[in-house]
Amino acid sequence: MKVTYNWLKDFVEIKLPAKELADKLTMAGIEVKSVEEKLGDFIFEIEITSNRPDWLSVIGVAREVAAITGKKLKGHKVVKSQVTSKAGQALTIEIENKKDCPLYTATIIKNVKVAPSPTWLKARLESVGCRSINNIVDITNYVLFEYGEPLHAFDLEKLASAKIIIRRAREREKIIAIDEVERVLSPEILVIADQEKPQAIAGVMGGKHSEVSFATKNILLEAAIFDPLLVRRGRQKLGIQTESSYRFERGVDLETAQKARARAIALIQEIAAGTVEAGKSQGLAKTKTPPISLNPDYAERLLGAKIETNKIKSILNYLGFAVKLKKKDSLSVNVPGYRQDVKKEIDLIEEIARIYGYDRIPRTLPRVAPQLSSGTTWELVGLVKNILVGCGLNEVITYSLIERGGLKDFGAGISLPVEIANPLSKEQEILRPTLLLNLTKCAAHNLNQKQELVQIFEIAKAFSLAQNLKAQEELVLAIALCGNKSWILPQGKVSYELGILDLKGIVKTLFTRLGIKDYTFETESNVGAAIFVERIKVGVMNILPREAAERLDIKNKNLALAELNLELILKHAKLEKKFISLPLYPGITRDLSILVKEEVSLSAILSEIKEKAGLILEEVKLSDFYKGKQVPAGFKSLTISCFFRSAQRTLVETEVQPVLSAISQALSEKFSAQFR
Amino acid sequence: MPGIDIAALQKTIEEEITKINSLLELEAFRLKYLGRKGVVAGLTSAIPTLAKEERATFGQQANALKNSLNRLVEEKEKALGAKAAVQITNTMDIGMPAVTHQIGRLHPITQVMEEICQIFTRMGFSIVEGPEIESEYNNFTGLNIPLEHPSRDAFDTFYIKSHVTSHTSQEGKLLLRSHTSPVQIRVMKSRKPPLAVIVPGRVYRPDATDASHLFMFHQIEGFMVDSDIKFSDLKGTLEMFAKAVFGDDIKMRFRPHFFPFTEPSAEMDISCIICKGKGCSVCGRKGWLEILGSGMIHPNVFGHVGYDPKKYTGFAFGMGIERIAMLKYGINDIRLFCENDLRFLEQF
């Protein structure tokens, strides 16, 4: 909202320069965004919080200025009893439901001279960004900005009669508003009608038909209050917002409406002549709000600063509150009508604090009883992230909302996704059930920036509909690897393309560091594998099929993807550590070189060895692997290293030999292994 | 021993060793003279065959020869070793690429969140997280934000399409949380004061994406509730936080503001870290940067969670992480955070 320095001076004496005043207002809670000097005046662009409709007016801001600078507010003299009903024209107001319209006043002013506004009026309106129309319309706007009460003037002759009906619109009823757009109304919308049709959308916009023009002779001036919620719903339904609806939906009070009405009548008579012929007012009686009691001790306890009771009284008085000393150190405060936001003692304390100055409240540190919680998800996730970073992965953050269509390449096992009711675009249709689509897009982006190697991960929620159709979320870890790792070593360049075994290595490192021992990887297809922890499936890994990769702009590259349910994994994490004594006796290493058919799985061989070897086998691992010209087609050559050790004594050859024989025999019988 | 002239031998040895040019030759030389079956060993083993009166002198001479040989070999070894080192430097090029095993990086948003969380945990706060799908009640009503009120305009929200026809009217519709504040309601409903909690997390608002808006971003919420928490404590706590993040020479100011869930409410500004308060394009020529919203928890919120507002007071604050990261690192486009270009990520 805009307000000018000179306009404020109409209401309060100001000695501070504009810039300084702007700073003071900002520090009292009316944020002045900018100050612009124009034609000898200063225009303040201010931001007004939704709780302060009274600041949507020059007089409201002036009241703040008065409180900050300690000056009295100058009011306009309200000319009374001009509005007396006279014979000649019958004026009636009919309010269908007074809840919708707690106040409606109408004033008939005859023989006005509609003309362009005087220069000062035009200039003021233009300075706050309002276009000049004619003197009558300009006066209603001027008073809107000055008092915050939106007014409307109808051309009396264009109304069917001087009977004003405030009612809900009928289904499919139409009105052409002053912006010349025809709008279709419905019963959620309140209108001002004559006996024939709607003449204005109440609190939002006037109608074209009864608009005041240069030909207008007699007018009906409306000053009213409409139900804030009704105005809000109405303007939302129609998709328009006006200076008028903005103020009504935030709330206008009875007193302000009456003052604004008197001010407008006075200005019309002064600028456009005319005589007041009739006036009427209808609505609900003014409700009295009970005073709020304020305890200065409580204010001190809450703020951490002692503000003298006299100071409290004076601050509240400047802001228009009436303060009475009730008993010892308890104040009784009456709230003015324009401060509908002040309902409780705490609201008064805020008023006191902000005028007193937040900067004058000291800085202290609270006494905290620390609650040391460890092993929280946040901490564990932080550990997981650091392990992955140590594995060379970069963390990414991608959107949780995605396009439904993108899922088909990642859709295995996904039933109904969680949908967004009001997405801004197609890219926000659903909450993602998998992180892999966005991770793939992210890899594609980087490969297209000529990155040789992309190793990324994300930890975020994945969303799905449960059996009972309730939306649920789970923490998921997703990893994507793509490209070549290469080194220049003394023997020359070494390079290889990352694949699923790199993923396996990362997952293995993660599990090891989390203290998870019981885990397995099981081949699910030629390109994929499942990951199990304590025999529960916790994730999958695969190479994205080439067609799918190409659809996402990844060409001739293998993208290795893994997705794991992090919540399940963290449940199995064992971070407590226990020292195990270092071995006392040396061990014996024996290598087995065998030739087996390609389809024989290494895990099967290793578990067979473990089973046959018994307790003295400390470790068994593949130490070499060969497939190619040196071995027959369809076969692979494996060198398996077995390490034997006893915790009780130094093992001797004669103990190991029989075990090796048993292993060899089992391997030849079970897997037709040939020893080399 | 007749026929063996030790002095002549010494001369031969000295001549021989000067001709040696490699460690290999030196080793052969060493074996020849000092080995188990070498010349010196031969001399020593011959001692018993000598006449008694000759033994001592001969023994001494042989020993002197051995010591001299040892010294010569040692010196030569050093000389050759140094040479070898010189040879190595001649073939090695330290300008060749290093053999590295690169470790990755945490996303800058994670780094800033962790830094902020650490500052507060050191002050005694504990970390609590909450779900991203929330109820209308926790996101709005419980926080004193009426469902139909202009104060809601600041909280545009993504709603979840409902497949479940019956949900309790108290909880209202499901939505994606538009701030981390609903966790206040969750924590206060399940625990009793004293509380000192911070809540990091993702939040969502249907804003059109541009250089300063994303429809998904991160916030950290913090709150403290006890029988004697004051507005001055809020100021002191947040001052410590701002100095820890932006440096000791930063200036701060608290400006009155409006949030439905706090009263009194304040926004905290810090002196612009770019222009040091003189006014620049980053701070809009004001010299101040707004970094967080805060205030004393509204008694209505306490009412909703079943706390006695007469007994307890508390403060709460909330901040946008992207904004703080942008200020801290001088990033001018918020979209970079979600684009995840490695050339961007690898700068942090």
Side-chain angles (χ1 to χ4, degrees), chain B residues 5 20 33 43 47 63 75 91 101 103 121 125 135-136 164 168 184-185 223-224 238-239 247 249 274 276 284:
Chain B
D5 179 352
I20 288 174
Y33 290 101
L43 293 178
I47 292 173
N63 213 33
E75 278 170 5
T91 58
H101 297 270
I103 60 166
T121 49
F125 285 75
S135 66
E136 235 174 7
V164 193
T168 55
Q184 270 186 45
I185 302 296
F223 58 98
M224 188 179 274
L238 292 179
E239 177 182 25
D249 49 353
I274 312 292
K276 308 278 176 234

Side-chain angles (χ1 to χ4, degrees), chain A residues 292-295 298-299 302-303 341-353 358, chain B residues 144 260 262-265 296-300 302 309 312-314:
Chain A
I292 301 172
S293 71
L294 171 68
N295 181 348
Y298 177 63
L302 193 90
L303 296 174
D341 60 305
V342 176
K343 297 187 185 85
K344 294 189 162 187
E345 185 179 18
I346 193 78
D347 302 320
L348 293 171
I349 294 175
E350 179 174 70
E351 292 306 299
I352 297 158
Y358 280 6
Chain B
N144 200 33
T262 50
E263 187 87 6
S265 302
M296 301 303 288
I297 297 174
H298 199 289
N300 290 356
F302 283 150
Y312 295 116
T313 53

